[in-house]
């Protein structure tokens, strides 16, 4: 399985010389705003196209899709996903984890805006995916470390307990 972090792809795209998306990315990421579907799918498409022998591998797209437009755009422009894992975490634990990180785009007011975006935009996208596309697994991400990883792997069907 290849773990692909969407925000890392966007940050790399913003640093790519001559990127037509750099300005939008640099404006939106620090504020917690979502980038447009054309940008997000273009960045994912470039990533997939540049991979050697990407077919037949499983990719975990971390942080994508964030809204209904991105979910539909991915389906049309990149391909049909086999499944979705929705990580559910309490707001208190999210805040504890955010406070431990030291990123300029991770201030409490931005985290709150991202959480509101999740409620207003991501939840409807998850409902769409579940209803029209494929299974959506709801998985608790309240646990850290080995226990959290074990729960996540079980949801993926990797490392089933005997």
């Amino acid at each position: 399985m290849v773990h692909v972090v969407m925000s890392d792809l966007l940050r790399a795209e913003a640093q790519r010389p001559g990127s037509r998306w750099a300005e939008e990315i640099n404006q939106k990421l620090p504020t917690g705003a979502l980038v447009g579907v054309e940008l997000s799918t273009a960045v994912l498409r470039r990533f997939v196209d540049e991979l050697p022998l990407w077919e037949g591998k499983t990719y975990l797209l971390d942080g994508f899709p964030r809204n209904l437009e991105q979910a539909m755009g991915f389906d049309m422009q990149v391909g049909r996903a086999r499944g979705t894992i929705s990580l559910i975490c309490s707001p208190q634990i999210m805040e504890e984890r955010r406070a431990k990180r030291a990123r300029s785009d991770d201030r409490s007011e931005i985290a709150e805006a991202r959480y509101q975006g999740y409620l207003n935009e991501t939840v409807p996208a998850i409902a769409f995916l579940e209803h029209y596309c494929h299974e959506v697994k709801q998985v608790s991400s309240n646990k850290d470390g080995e226990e959290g990883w074990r729960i996540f792997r079980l949801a993926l069907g990797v490392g089933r307990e005997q």
Side-chain angles (χ1 to χ4, degrees), residues 10-37:
L10 292 170
R11 286 183 186 95
E13 178 64 25
Q15 299 301 312
R16 193 172 63 79
S19 171
R20 69 182 254 209
W21 306 110
E23 185 176 348
E24 181 178 350
I25 294 168
N26 288 328
Q27 287 175 350
K28 292 189 175 184
L29 280 187
T31 66
L34 298 178
V35 299
V37 66

Side-chain angles (χ1 to χ4, degrees), residues 53-142:
L53 302 173
W54 69 273
E55 292 182 22
K57 291 185 180 179
T58 299
Y59 291 88
L60 174 64
L61 300 180
D62 186 336
F64 188 85
R66 294 274 173 115
N67 62 25
L68 185 57
E69 184 181 26
Q70 288 179 350
M72 294 171 66
F74 180 84
D75 189 61
M76 291 185 302
Q77 296 176 30
V78 180
R80 172 92 15 130
R82 290 193 319 217
T84 296
I85 296 176
S86 177
L87 298 176
I88 308 299
C89 188
S90 75
Q92 296 82 10
I93 290 177
M94 282 190 282
E95 177 56 24
E96 289 170 14
R97 289 176 181 165
R98 185 215 53 83
K100 290 179 184 177
R101 294 188 296 253
R103 288 190 347 217
S104 63
D105 65 341
D106 219 3
R107 298 183 311 273
S108 61
E109 64 273 13
I110 293 171
E112 177 59 29
R114 286 185 181 140
Y115 183 67
Q116 290 304 314
Y118 168 79
L119 295 175
N120 297 329
E121 298 189 56
T122 306
V123 169
I126 292 168
F128 164 80
L129 291 169
E130 188 169 34
H131 186 74
Y132 293 104
C133 297
H134 52 255
E135 177 184 11
V136 174
K137 293 180 182 182
Q138 304 277 339
V139 178
S140 171
S141 63
N142 286 327

Side-chain angles (χ1 to χ4, degrees), residues 13 21 37-47 77-78:
E13 178 64 25
W21 306 110
V37 66
E38 183 183 2
L39 187 163
S40 59
T41 54
V43 169
L44 278 170
R45 182 83 251 171
R46 179 179 302 112
F47 173 78
Q77 296 176 30
V78 180

